[in-house]
Amino acid sequence: GRARLAVGWCLYEQKDAAGALAQFRAAADTAGAEEQTLAEAHYMAGAAAQELGKDAEALREYEKTASEHPSSEYAVDAARRAGRLYARTGDSKNVLRVLEPLVQRTAGSPAQVGVLDELAWLSLSNGDKDRAEKLFAQIADKHPDSPRRLRPW
């Protein structure tokens, strides 16, 4: 698992997304691989697939990272990336399904500001100004020192 992951990273850094995707998939399919290796392999498979324009595959990998490896360092960012991909296609139901659980999961951490901000901006872009305003108010209330506490209007 780790060796294929390392090769995948080398290919990814060399801008060979297709080769990297194959290596990340192989690392993710390695039986008995460590949890962290699996989480990283799925996350990076999502990133490589996204670079190749394979959004459906990227979504599967990001969601797998977030749901099967929720305590990994990649879980929050994977869910945020999935949310952005859903938002790009106008699928607001799945945006909320993916991002709303992160508000609780990141409670008390600096990452929560980013999640709330992401949800607020996505709500605003979907025309739901009331929801966006509530989310920006939540940022101001829970994270008063954050520069994201300021409303954009």
Side-chain angles (χ1 to χ4, degrees):
R2 290 288 319 155
R4 290 202 180 263
L5 190 61
V7 171
W9 269 107
C10 288
L11 293 170
Y12 189 80
E13 292 294 321
Q14 294 172 1
K15 307 292 185 216
D16 179 3
L21 178 57
Q23 293 299 317
F24 292 137
R25 277 189 197 138
D29 291 338
T30 302
E34 294 176 2
E35 180 77 14
Q36 184 62 24
T37 299
L38 293 173
E40 186 175 352
H42 284 297
Y43 177 82
M44 289 309 300
Q50 189 174 359
E51 280 196 28
L52 293 168
K54 297 180 176 186
D55 290 351
E57 186 170 349
L59 280 167
R60 277 194 306 276
E61 295 295 343
Y62 289 146
E63 290 217 41
K64 194 172 268 196
T65 304
S67 65
E68 293 181 12
H69 311 285
S71 61
S72 77
E73 67 183 277
Y74 297 96
V76 171
D77 194 50
R80 288 178 70 183
R81 285 179 176 229
R84 286 184 202 130
L85 281 172
Y86 282 126
R88 200 168 69 203
T89 63
D91 188 346
S92 57
K93 179 181 173 189
N94 275 317
V95 169
L96 296 177
R97 179 186 60 77
V98 169
L99 291 180
E100 283 191 332
L102 292 182
V103 174
Q104 290 302 324
R105 208 152 102 209
T106 58
S109 78
Q112 187 184 47
V113 176
V115 173
L116 290 169
D117 189 62
E118 190 99 25
L119 275 169
W121 281 104
L122 291 171
S123 297
L124 194 58
S125 69
N126 285 333
D128 192 349
K129 189 175 178 181
D130 290 339
R131 178 176 173 72
E133 184 134 350
K134 287 177 186 169
L135 289 162
F136 283 120
Q138 195 172 351
I139 293 170
D141 181 49
K142 294 183 186 242
H143 306 278
D145 296 331
S146 171
R148 295 182 179 185
R149 74 188 183 289
L150 304 173
R151 290 182 184 85
W153 55 85

